[in-house]
Structures are given as C-alpha cells and as structure tokens.
C-alpha cells in the first residue's frame, strides 16, 4: 500500500539531491530555492484545496487567518501546509465534513500551525503516507481522533493539542517498525489521550502532557486490526495526571480504560520510564490483558514480533480461534517513574486465564508475563511489593504474587457510564496555543524523516504550576 | 518422438490418476452447500451456473483500500422503489438506511435533495433489506455499514464511480434453500465468514447480515427489467465483456442488536435463506467520485470498522 522500496529510494535520492545541492555552488542552491513557491490562501487561491492542488513538490501553502469550511485532501507529495497563526487559521467541519486535512498515500506532507475543529471523524489524518509531520497543530471537537496516522511510517507529531475526541487525541495505528515520535504534545478531554493499536517499533511518546482524559496513554493489541500485537513502544518523560474524566466524550473501549494513567492493554515489550503520573482513581501505570471475544486470529508467537508489519499483512489467520483470545501484556519494562495518589495501585500487572471465560487455558500467569519494575518512586502496587517480585535487574527477592493481586474483574467489570451520543460536540473551547517559532513565510526544506529521541537524556519532569 | 511419448505414457497416466483421484476425493469430501457450516470465499462463483455470486475480501480490514459509510437505521415500510416503484404497500416490509425519505415513489433526484443518516454526508443513497423477525417480533436494526472497495483482483485504478441512479439487488429473495455463493449471508460482528442462516453470536460481535453487490456494470443501463441484467460480478478481477465497467464492490453489513442463543428468525421475505438487499445510488456525484479517487484508486484505508465502540464491550 505504501513504503514500497522504490518510493523509499526516491525519498533517499531526493535527500541526497538536497545534500548535493547544499554542497554545490551558490548558483545551484539559488536555482533550488527559486524552484519552490509560496501559494497563499486566500490571496492567491480562494480555498486551501485549490492551493494544494496547484502546488508542486517543495512548495509552501501558506494559509492566512480565517475560518475555512473545508475537508482538504492532499495528494501532492513533499509540500508544507502552514497557517500564519495557529489560533486564527481554523478549519471547521461544522460537524458535517469528515476530516480537516487528509493525506492519502502521499509522502513528505507537513502540516503545521493551524487548527481543525468540528469534524465528524478526524482533525488531521495521514493514511498510507510516509515521511509525515504534524507540528503546532490544534485539533478539537473531532468525532474520532484529533491527530491520526494509520499505516504510515517515518514521521512525527510535536507541539500539538488533541482535545475533545471520543477516541484518542493522538493515535498511531498499524505500523511496525513505525519510526515516529510524539513529542511535547498536550491531550485533554479525550476518551484516550494517546492510543496506538497494533503499532510500535521505534515509536516514542515523550515529554508530553496527558490530563483530564478518561485514560491517559493506552497502547493496545487486538486482531480487529492488522499488525498485532502492539509492541516495542517507548513512553518516557511524560506528565500524566487526573485522567478521570467521566462527563466528557468517550467511545466504549475508553470507558473500560477509565481513570488510569498509563494502561498497557495487551501491549508487549513496552518501555515505560521516567514518567510522572499522579491522581488517578484506578491505576497509575498498569499492565493488563485485553480479552477479545470472537477474535479473528490468535495472538501471534513472540518469534514473529520483530517481523515488519508489511510482511504480515497477507498472513492467513489461525484456523481454530477460541471464543476468547487473551492479549497478554508480555515483557513490559517499567522503570524510573514517579507515581502518586492512585486509587487502586500506583503500579500493577495482571492477566487472566481464558479458562475463566470458558475458553481453553493457556497456562499464562501474571508471574510468567515477565513484566519488570525497577527504580520507581511509588507507594502502592498490585501485587504488593512489585519491585521485589519482578525487578528489571537482579533476581526477585519475593515470590508472593498472590498478595494484593490486582482485581482485574473489578477493574474491567465496572466501566464508567456511557456518555450521550455526540457529546464531543459540546467540549469547551481550548485555550490559545503557542505559535510555531520562526518566520512563517520561509519555505521549508523537505521533510526527510524523524530524528529519533535520545531517551537516556530524558529526566522525570516536574509538575506544572497549576496542576 | 512417438517412442519418447510412449516412454512417458505410464508416467502421464499415473499423474492423471493421481490428479483426478485427488480432485474426486476433494469433491467427495466437500459438503454440499446446504450442509456447509461456513461458506468460504474461495468457492468459485461459477458453481451456481445460473446465479452469479461475488468473490469477497475475507481478510481483516487494513489491507486493501476502502471507505465506509455508517448509516443509522432510518425507518421501515412495505415499500420498494426499485421492484415496486410507485406501488406503496406492495412489498414485504423493508428497513431503510441512508436517505431518510425513501418510499415507493422515491427517485434518485429526490433522495439527493433530502437528508441522510450516513456518517458521510455526501451519501444520500438508499439502502434497504427485508425486516428480520425473532419469534415473530420485529427486530429493529442498528445500522447499515457500507464498505466500498475494489473487488478482489481488480486493479484499483480501473474502478469507476457508480452512475447516478444505479439500482442493484444482492442476494436471492426467492431462495428456499441456502443460496449458492456469498452475495448474501449471515455472520457475527466483523467476521468475514458467512453462513446461510444466522448463528449464535457473542456479545462483542452481534448478528450481522452481509450483502455484497455486483461490481461490473454494462455501462449503459442504470436498471433492468429483472433488476439484475445490467450488472454482474467480476471473476478473478475481470469483468465480462457484456459488463465491462468496473464499479466499486459494495458490501453492506446490517447490524442487529442480537447475540446469544434461543432465537427463532425469519425475514419479511420468508426464511432467512431469502436474505437480500437493495441499493439505489443517490450519492452526491462529486463526493462519491472523490472517495473513490482518494481511497480506492490510491488503495488506502480511509475508514475502519471495529468493535471499539460496541455496546457489548460494556456488558
């Protein structure tokens, strides 16, 4: 569908050409610069769509202040769409249009410094598109996701706000290895602050704020989409607090995840480190299974987890699938976090045997999941003394897994009340957001992919002044 | 040469015996349609000999380009603007989705001018199917989920838009035994495996009726006397010369709030074997064209349907 080798080659060649241009004579670089144009909306083109359609590779579509009732499709590769003022360049779907900006199978598209609100599905959406970047974006009151990538590789979301979506403020789905990061974003009033179904591998969620969602950060696995399981994500340096929203929007799966800070729902080999997590009515950082009824496939064996997503798309599902498939949360590492004031447990790990749901036992126990916990600052855990039971370094000094076991049935059997349909449409307005730095009229260099973060340099953040 | 042929003859005969034997064994082992619990998509549509049937996508969503309109249940009436146009009350009872004003007098132009229950507001089409009864009680459906894709094997960029006003019927309303092929079938949730009768479904994946419409058009007529002759199904990605125009493969999944066991179903058209459904195209032409170009031609997933917002998750 994308990421075909020849396309990757083209991007690499384009990058090399750029480097060659930069190293060439002044004349060469001048001619390179003059080939890219700025297309202004509404000065040169009445609509964003007209400007995007008229743009050529390398161009900047510069959108001036105004409210645009448009659903824009971008099929010109390697262009940048930029607002002159993030708070005053507003795409508005009026709860009629589907997506603010949709980028289908088109590489190198950067969208920055603008707002998309009131769309039936998504604010900003890349699907099947590589080398993508969403930066200084505000997405609010959109019916599915705020800022969303699916089957997309080599990208980043940064300095953006996802606000008031019933599914997730930020979502990364169906990619492995994704080669993307989410940095310094803010998610509020959503069902889930961040969600990533069946995605992972060089996928980082860092240095961001998640508050007043139904649940904060929720990578999860399931055979209802492809490229399962969710694996190898890194969640580091985030502030996650008071995700206990009960009177805001939320799809039903978010009601199950309700009132947890970081919930690993059947995600595996996730690294959760140096986050500050506080004030959750249920769990701070919890690693739990996702029980999927009538699933279309079984959970794949660990030996397949490093297989790139694209090589698994045509795999035939298992012939025999039990009524319930348990997506166990294998091998997650939770280190160096500070977790406070959680109603059930600051740190927790648990799973269930499918036998309790009437399917054949798989023999997996909480102890056998090989999750580990070290160097965290916390008060309560389930099971008790979790760092002695399952340290990341060194041998366990306890084996009493039964002491204060997590009440999974109590956790998952008491979802929050279902909100009324369309509640997202009444989410309050977000406050003004910071504009992108620099000269907004400057034509940018083509985007050639993310510089992945140095997680070692990340430190546990401190609380915001007004929290 | 002759000597050489003779020399290999025993081997050829042996091979033929093996191949034919295997084929015979396969035939002997295959259950007849009426006994088959699961009708698989690999079944050749030509098996019926008289009633063309679709080849379907049976893998999970996320692999081939698609767009989806979710159209809430609108209303019910004994009307059918395709089969019994201008004859209200002559039809069995139908459940309607999409265009909100569909009745026996509806024209595509009228539908286009009205409102819709679909999430894609350009979708003013009318979708309908006979009402389902459980122990003689009407089952009010939840919604019709309309998937638009290139049929298996079809080059996505070959797919053209439906002509405005195109009428299509999927499934055989006269069937009194399991329908051959998979134009119509029952399933649970988003499971692509169909059965000729409803089966017991889990809470998280309730009962659905799936209808897959024709994806080859004759390029001329938007309807025909039998409402079938102007369209047919592709085979291995090819449309026959009589119907050379590739159009999107539309699959509508009718979702019912039904799970568990102990049901006694029938359709307004008769036995549940008689499952069928209708489509009358009144999409805003530009909106439909755009979704086809963006999602089908570029082979990307524009929408997904899953169980993340299913009520049963909370039961």
């Amino acid at each position: 569908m994308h990421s075909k080798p020849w396309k990757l080659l083209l991007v690499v060649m384009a990058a090399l050409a750029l480097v060659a241009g930069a190293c060439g004579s002044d004349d060469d670089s001048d001619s390179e610069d003059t080939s890219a144009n700025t297309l202004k909306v509404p000065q040169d083109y009445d609509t964003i769509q007209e400007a995007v359609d008229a743009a050529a590779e390398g161009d900047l579509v510069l959108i001036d202040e105004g409210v645009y009732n448009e659903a824009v499709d971008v099929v010109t590769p390697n262009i940048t769409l930029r607002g002159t003022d993030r708070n005053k360049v507003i795409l508005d779907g009026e709860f009629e249009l589907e997506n603010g900006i949709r980028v289908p199978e088109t590489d190198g598209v950067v969208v920055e410094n603008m707002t998309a609100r009131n769309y039936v599905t998504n604010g900003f959406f890349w699907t099947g598109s590589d080398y993508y970047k969403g930066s200084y974006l505000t997405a609010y009151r959109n019916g599915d996701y705020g800022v969303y990538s699916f089957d997309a590789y080599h990208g980043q979301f940064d300095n953006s706000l996802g606000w008031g979506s019933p599914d997730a403020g930020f979502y990364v789905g169906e990619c492995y290895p994704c080669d993307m990061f989410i940095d310094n974003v803010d998610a509020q009033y959503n069902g889930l602050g961040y969600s990533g179904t069946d995605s992972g591998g060089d996928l980082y969620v860092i240095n961001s704020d998640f508050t007043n969602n139904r649940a904060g950060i929720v990578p999860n696995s399931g055979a209802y989409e492809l490229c399962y399981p969710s694996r190898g994500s890194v969640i580091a340096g985030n502030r996650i607090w008071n995700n206990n929203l009960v009177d805001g929007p939320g799809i039903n799966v978010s009601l199950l995840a309700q009132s947890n800070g970081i919930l690993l729902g059947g995600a595996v080999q996730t690294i959760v480190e140096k986050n500050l997590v506080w004030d959750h009515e249920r769990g701070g950082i919890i690693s739990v299974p996702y029980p999927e009824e009538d699933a279309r496939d079984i959970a794949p064996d660990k030996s397949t987890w490093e297989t790139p997503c694209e090589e698994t798309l045509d795999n035939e599902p298992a012939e025999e699938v039990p009524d319930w498939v348990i997506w166990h949360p294998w091998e997650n590492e939770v280190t160096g976090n500070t977790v406070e004031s959680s109603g059930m447990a600051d740190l927790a790990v648990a799973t269930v045997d499918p036998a309790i749901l009437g399917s054949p036992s798989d023999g997996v126990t909480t102890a056998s999941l090989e999750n580990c916990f070290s160097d965290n600052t916390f008060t309560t855990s389930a099971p008790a003394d979790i760092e002695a039971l399952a340290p990341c370094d060194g041998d366990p000094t306890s084996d009493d897994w039964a002491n204060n076991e997590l009440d999974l049935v109590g956790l998952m059997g008491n979802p929050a009340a279902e909100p009324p349909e369309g509640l997202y449409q009444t989410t309050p307005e977000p406050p003004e957001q910071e504009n992108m730095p620099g000269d907004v009229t400057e034509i940018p260099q083509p985007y050639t992919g993310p510089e992945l973060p140095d997680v070692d340099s990340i430190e546990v953040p401190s609380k915001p002044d007004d929290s | 040469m002759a000597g050489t042929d003779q020399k290999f003859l025993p081997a050829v005969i042996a091979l033929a015996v093996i191949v034919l034997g295997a084929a015979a064994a396969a035939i002997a082992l295959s259950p007849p349609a009426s006994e088959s619990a699961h009708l698989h998509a690999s079944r050749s549509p030509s098996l019926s000999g008289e009633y063309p049937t679709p080849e379907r996508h049976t893998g999970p969503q996320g692999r081939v380009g698609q767009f989806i309109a979710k159209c809430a249940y609108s209303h019910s009436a004994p009307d059918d603007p395709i089969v019994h146009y201008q004859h209200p009350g002559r039809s069995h009872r139908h459940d309607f989705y999409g265009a909100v004003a569909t009745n026996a007098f509806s024209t595509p132009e009228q539908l286009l001018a009205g409102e819709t229950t679909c999430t894609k507001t350009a979708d003013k089409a009318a979708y309908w199917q006979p009402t389902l009864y459980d122990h003689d009680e009407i089952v009010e459906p939840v919604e019709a989920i309309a998937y638009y894709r290139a049929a298996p094997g079809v080059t996505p960029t070959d797919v053209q838009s439906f002509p405005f006003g195109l009428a299509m019927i999927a499934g055989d309303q006269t069937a009194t035994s399991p329908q051959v092929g998979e134009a119509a079938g029952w399933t649970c949730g988003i499971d692509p495996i169909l059965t000729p009768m409803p089966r017991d479904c889990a809470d998280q994946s309730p009962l659905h009726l799936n209808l897959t419409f024709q994806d080859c058009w004759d390029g001329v007529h938007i309807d025909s006397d039998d409402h079938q002759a102007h369209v047919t199904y592709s085979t291995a990605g090819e449309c026959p010369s009589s119907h050379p125009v590739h159009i999107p493969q539309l699959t509508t999944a009718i979702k019912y709030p039904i799970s568990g066991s102990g049901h006694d179903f029938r359709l307004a058209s008769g036995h549940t074997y008689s499952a069928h459904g209708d489509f009358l195209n009144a999409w805003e032409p530009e909106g439909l064209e755009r979704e086809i170009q963006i999602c089908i031609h570029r082979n990307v997933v524009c929408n997904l349907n899953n169980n993340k917002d299913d009520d049963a998750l909370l039961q």
Side-chain angles (χ1 to χ4, degrees):
Chain A
M1 204 179 294
H2 69 98
S3 296
K4 300 173 183 79
W6 64 267
K7 288 177 69 178
L8 187 61
L9 187 65
L10 278 182
V11 170
V12 171
M13 286 170 66
L16 287 175
L18 196 71
V19 171
C23 298
S25 69
D26 288 342
D27 286 345
D28 283 344
S29 52
D30 284 350
S31 65
E32 191 77 30
D33 287 342
T34 53
S35 67
N37 296 306
T38 300
L39 295 81
K40 293 185 177 177
V41 185
Q43 292 86 349
D44 302 334
Y45 298 89
D46 289 341
T47 66
I48 303 168
Q49 186 69 62
E50 286 174 40
V52 164
D53 291 345
E57 294 201 34
D59 285 353
L60 169 66
V61 173
L62 188 63
I63 306 160
D64 212 339
E65 295 176 14
V67 177
Y68 300 86
N69 300 130
E70 289 191 60
V72 179
D73 284 322
V74 183
V75 294
T76 307
N78 299 314
I79 64 171
T80 295
L81 283 69
R82 181 187 296 156
T84 57
D85 186 312
R86 177 177 176 184
N87 301 297
K88 295 176 181 168
V89 176
I90 298 170
L91 286 81
D92 190 334
E94 297 186 303
F95 306 118
E96 289 278 326
L97 301 174
E98 263 208 295
N99 301 280
I101 305 270
R102 180 171 62 173
V103 186
E105 199 228 5
T106 303
D107 294 349
V109 175
V110 174
V111 185
E112 56 195 12
N113 215 45
M114 67 182 77
T115 293
R117 71 183 183 200
N118 304 344
Y119 285 89
V120 174
T121 53
N122 312 299
F124 302 95
F125 177 27
W126 286 257
T127 176
S129 299
D130 298 342
Y131 300 94
Y132 64 102
K133 179 180 177 185
S135 194
Y136 291 91
L137 299 175
T138 298
Y140 73 93
R141 290 188 195 144
N142 298 299
D144 281 345
Y145 304 110
V147 185
Y148 173 23
S149 70
F150 181 84
D151 185 31
Y153 292 81
H154 319 295
Q156 68 187 74
F157 297 146
D158 65 84
N159 297 288
S160 294
L161 175 70
W163 177 288
S165 284
D167 200 318
F170 295 87
Y171 181 90
V172 177
E174 196 181 291
C175 53
Y176 184 90
C178 304
D179 188 31
M180 84 85 66
F181 68 79
I182 294 176
D183 186 9
N184 198 26
V185 303
D186 185 1
Q188 301 189 42
Y189 278 105
N190 304 288
L192 308 168
Y194 165 83
S195 170
T197 302
D198 299 339
S199 56
D202 285 336
L203 171 56
Y204 297 82
V205 181
I206 58 167
N207 303 332
S208 295
D209 283 352
F210 298 84
T211 186
N212 201 31
N213 305 285
R214 287 178 179 269
I217 296 181
V218 186
N220 67 305
S221 301
Y224 57 84
E225 291 180 11
L226 288 171
C227 298
Y228 34 85
S230 170
R231 56 208 191 268
S233 300
V234 177
I235 299 165
N238 301 289
R239 298 188 296 195
I240 303 147
W241 75 100
N242 189 30
N243 291 286
N244 302 306
L245 181 69
V246 291
D247 55 358
I251 60 166
N252 288 345
V253 82
S254 76
L255 309 185
L256 289 172
Q258 180 79 44
S259 300
N260 292 290
I262 299 175
L263 184 145
L264 310 176
V268 304
Q269 294 182 337
T270 316
I271 292 172
V272 182
E273 62 176 308
K274 295 180 282 193
N275 299 283
L276 178 60
V277 186
W278 71 102
D279 285 351
H280 291 97
E281 289 174 8
R282 290 184 175 175
I285 301 174
I286 70 172
S287 180
V288 294
Y290 176 62
E292 188 177 11
E293 190 177 18
D294 206 16
R296 285 175 297 172
D297 201 357
I298 59 174
D301 184 77
K302 180 182 172 181
S303 63
T304 68
W305 289 350
E306 290 187 11
T307 307
C309 169
E310 287 199 308
E311 294 176 22
T312 67
L313 292 178
D314 291 324
N315 288 357
E316 288 292 327
E319 289 192 4
E320 294 288 331
V321 181
D323 290 344
W324 285 91
V325 170
I326 305 298
W327 296 85
H328 295 292
W330 296 102
E331 298 181 16
N332 297 300
E333 287 184 29
V334 180
T335 60
N337 302 279
T338 298
V339 190
E340 304 169 354
S341 305
S342 311
M344 291 178 79
D346 289 337
L347 303 175
V349 58
T351 197
V352 292
D353 192 302
I356 71 161
L357 296 162
S359 285
S361 170
D362 59 14
V364 179
T365 64
T366 301
S368 70
L369 292 173
E370 296 187 49
N371 282 229
C372 75
F373 300 81
S374 283
D375 302 324
N376 299 287
T377 303
F378 68 104
T379 307
T380 56
S381 71
D385 211 2
I386 202 167
E387 293 198 343
L389 287 167
C392 296
D393 40 14
D395 295 325
T397 53
S398 165
D399 61 0
D400 187 3
W401 286 85
N403 184 8
N404 195 38
E405 225 175 351
L406 184 67
D407 176 15
L408 260 184
V409 175
L411 185 77
M412 307 190 78
N414 291 293
E418 202 170 349
E421 185 95 1
L423 186 62
Y424 78 95
Q425 299 182 2
T426 61
T427 312
E429 294 267 339
E432 289 228 329
Q433 299 293 307
E434 183 187 354
N435 271 284
M436 67 179 284
D439 178 2
V440 293
T441 65
E442 188 176 312
I443 296 177
Q445 298 296 329
Y447 180 68
T448 54
E451 283 182 35
L452 294 181
D454 171 18
V455 177
D456 287 346
S457 69
I458 292 175
E459 296 179 357
V460 179
S462 49
K463 292 182 182 178
D465 295 338
D466 59 354
S467 71
Chain B
M1 288 297 289
T4 307
D5 282 347
Q6 280 184 345
K7 183 175 153 191
F8 283 100
L9 197 56
V12 170
I13 291 171
L15 187 64
V17 167
I18 291 168
V19 171
L20 288 173
I27 291 167
L29 289 170
S30 300
S34 59
E35 294 171 20
S36 173
H38 288 179
L39 297 174
H40 290 281
S42 56
R43 169 167 297 163
S44 166
S46 62
L47 272 182
S48 76
E50 56 189 62
Y51 202 89
T53 65
E55 294 175 0
R56 300 185 314 118
H57 292 286
T58 54
Q61 296 165 54
R63 180 162 47 180
V64 300
Q66 66 180 27
F67 61 94
I68 298 173
K70 281 192 167 188
C71 306
Y73 165 69
S74 172
H75 63 283
S76 300
D79 289 349
D80 189 329
I82 293 179
V83 178
H84 298 291
Y85 180 55
Q86 295 186 333
H87 291 98
R90 188 173 289 187
S91 170
H92 47 242
R93 189 178 193 272
H94 282 130
D95 302 329
F96 292 95
Y97 315 80
V100 298
T102 312
N103 62 33
F105 299 96
S106 295
T107 65
E109 291 77 12
Q110 289 169 342
L111 300 179
L112 178 63
E115 297 296 314
T116 177
T117 68
C118 299
T119 50
K120 284 189 191 285
T121 51
D123 185 1
K124 305 290 186 66
Y127 307 83
W128 65 92
Q129 99 295 324
T131 297
L132 180 68
Y133 294 82
D134 183 10
H135 294 287
D136 286 331
E137 295 285 327
I138 286 171
V139 178
E140 184 172 297
V142 179
E143 62 186 354
I145 302 144
Y147 298 85
Y148 292 83
R149 298 181 273 231
V154 171
T155 303
T157 48
D158 286 347
V159 174
Q160 298 184 20
S161 193
F162 301 117
F164 187 72
L166 180 71
M168 292 194 287
I169 299 174
D172 179 3
Q173 70 162 12
T174 67
T176 54
S177 59
Q179 295 185 33
V180 174
E182 302 200 297
W186 302 86
T187 191
C188 300
I190 50 178
D191 186 344
I193 297 176
L194 305 180
T195 47
M197 288 175 62
R199 58 187 192 259
D200 292 348
C201 293
D203 288 345
Q204 276 188 30
S205 52
L207 181 66
H208 285 65
L209 168 61
N210 283 19
L211 304 158
T212 297
F213 293 81
Q214 299 85 347
D215 62 299
C216 300
W217 175 47
D218 70 5
V220 179
H221 306 96
I222 58 170
D223 200 355
S224 48
D225 289 344
D226 65 355
H227 314 292
Q228 299 279 349
H230 61 302
V231 285
T232 192
Y233 293 100
S234 62
T235 302
E238 300 293 328
C239 282
S241 58
S242 57
H243 299 78
V245 181
H246 289 281
I247 53 178
Q249 184 182 63
L250 165 64
T251 295
T252 57
I254 310 296
K255 178 179 178 180
Y256 297 98
I258 295 280
S259 58
S261 58
H263 302 286
D264 179 17
F265 294 121
R266 68 175 172 86
L267 287 167
S269 51
H271 192 278
T272 52
Y273 292 150
S274 70
H276 65 282
D278 298 49
F279 169 70
L280 182 54
N281 178 33
W283 271 81
E284 291 173 6
E286 281 185 9
L288 177 60
E289 178 68 30
R290 173 168 160 168
E291 292 308 285
I292 290 171
Q293 286 188 8
I294 293 292
C295 313
I296 295 181
H297 288 186
R298 304 186 79 86
N299 197 23
V300 296
V301 174
C302 285
N303 308 95
L304 278 173
N305 182 40
N306 55 42
N307 65 350
K308 287 199 298 183
D309 203 20
D310 204 299
D311 288 345
L313 280 175
L314 307 180
Q315 289 174 355

